[in-house]
Amino acid sequence: MADNLTLKALSRLLLYPEAALQDAAPHLAEALTEDGRLDAPTRLGLMPLLRSLAGEDLYDLQEAYVSLFDRTRRLSLHLFEHVHGESRDRGQAMVDLAALYAQGGLAIDANELPDFLPLFLEFLATRPEAEAQALLADVDHILATLEERLGERGSLYAAVLTAVRHLAGAEAVLAPTQEPVPHTEDLTALDLNALDKEWEETAVTFGPGDAASCGVDRFRTQLRAAQRDVRHPAPQPAA
């Protein structure tokens, strides 16, 4: 079974900018085009971000990324931050998600939290398409919120959330940006395998229990049970 190159590329675009990612931006653009899973407007909406990654100063890109994703929980790329916050339920959800990865053959970095969205997309890229779409649909309430909040800030990263949601058949919160496709032949295309080294770390034990005990159905049930409108949380009772 071939990997979903579109999900693989989208997961890379949400990573902290490094030189390898910056150099590989033209190749990511090619992969998104050749894979054919995104329609033209959605794909074109990603081009401003790809051009930014390829052409802007790396330190500026890194500073902007940290300011956007690391300084406010409202834009966190950790899925369970938007569902469980700091509650005990988040810890168990982490264990179950890590077990799901292990069951699917994905070994992750000991320092990485399982609910990191790029890692989640990396895992889905290896799964059958119907399974990947179903899991994306289960977290769409989170993805839609991130898409909306990034769009409100005028962030180019909003287009990545639009593209991810497009793969699950969800209606975009924001209209894709109509932008001309850059001439990728003017830039050096690198092998996407260079970025895969980030995932080649030692497998980790995430807690008690057999990994096989947490299947897709169980994890999807947990996601559905946790769903709520994160944009309009229920009012808290008066003290």
Side-chain angles (χ1 to χ4, degrees):
M1 179 181 63
D3 285 355
N4 183 322
L5 293 181
T6 296
L7 273 176
K8 207 173 181 74
L10 294 174
S11 75
R12 299 302 193 268
L13 290 177
L14 289 175
L15 290 173
Y16 177 74
E18 299 278 7
L21 176 60
Q22 191 171 46
D23 291 341
H27 188 68
L28 295 177
E30 291 176 3
L32 289 167
T33 300
E34 293 172 2
D35 196 42
R37 286 181 167 89
L38 296 178
D39 61 21
T42 304
R43 189 173 66 252
L44 292 176
L46 293 164
M47 294 305 153
L49 176 60
L50 286 159
R51 286 199 295 269
S52 174
L53 288 172
E56 293 187 19
D57 179 79
L58 180 58
Y59 293 111
D60 290 342
L61 291 169
Q62 292 173 339
E63 182 179 0
Y65 183 96
V66 170
S67 295
L68 191 65
F69 294 119
D70 294 349
R71 294 181 180 172
T72 171
R73 290 181 176 179
R74 285 174 52 82
L75 296 176
S76 174
L77 292 180
H78 290 91
L79 296 171
F80 296 151
E81 181 70 41
H82 302 280
V83 178
H84 299 299
E86 298 301 323
S87 72
R88 292 182 179 180
D89 291 339
R90 184 178 184 183
Q92 184 58 52
M94 292 282 199
V95 171
D96 291 336
L97 181 54
L100 184 64
Y101 290 164
Q103 184 181 349
L106 179 65
I108 68 174
D109 190 321
N111 297 320
E112 188 60 83
L113 294 177
D115 66 337
F116 188 46
L117 179 56
L119 181 58
F120 185 64
L121 299 180
E122 176 76 11
F123 172 71
L124 295 185
T126 68
R127 307 308 300 160
E129 194 150 347
E131 179 184 325
Q133 288 180 335
L135 284 167
L136 283 174
D138 286 335
V139 298
D140 184 65
H141 58 301
I142 302 172
L143 302 179
T145 299
L146 285 171
E147 180 190 10
E148 182 177 29
R149 290 173 179 172
L150 289 168
E152 289 171 350
R153 290 176 175 242
S155 171
L156 299 180
Y157 284 100
V160 183
L161 275 298
T162 301
V164 171
R165 299 186 64 238
H166 175 82
L167 293 178
E171 183 177 348
V173 174
L174 306 171
T177 304
Q178 298 290 338
E179 289 279 348
V181 179
H183 297 289
T184 57
E185 64 270 21
D186 296 335
L187 300 170
T188 301
L190 298 186
D191 189 348
L192 199 60
N193 290 333
L195 290 174
D196 284 335
K197 293 180 180 179
E198 298 173 34
W199 309 108
E200 295 175 359
E201 301 290 342
T202 304
V204 178
T205 300
F206 290 90
D210 182 3
S213 67
C214 179
V216 173
D217 290 342
R218 174 182 168 190
F219 185 68
R220 291 190 63 203
T221 298
Q222 291 174 344
L223 286 174
R224 287 194 295 269
Q227 280 187 8
R228 58 187 173 88
D229 189 345
V230 294
R231 286 169 289 181
H232 304 289
Q236 298 299 314

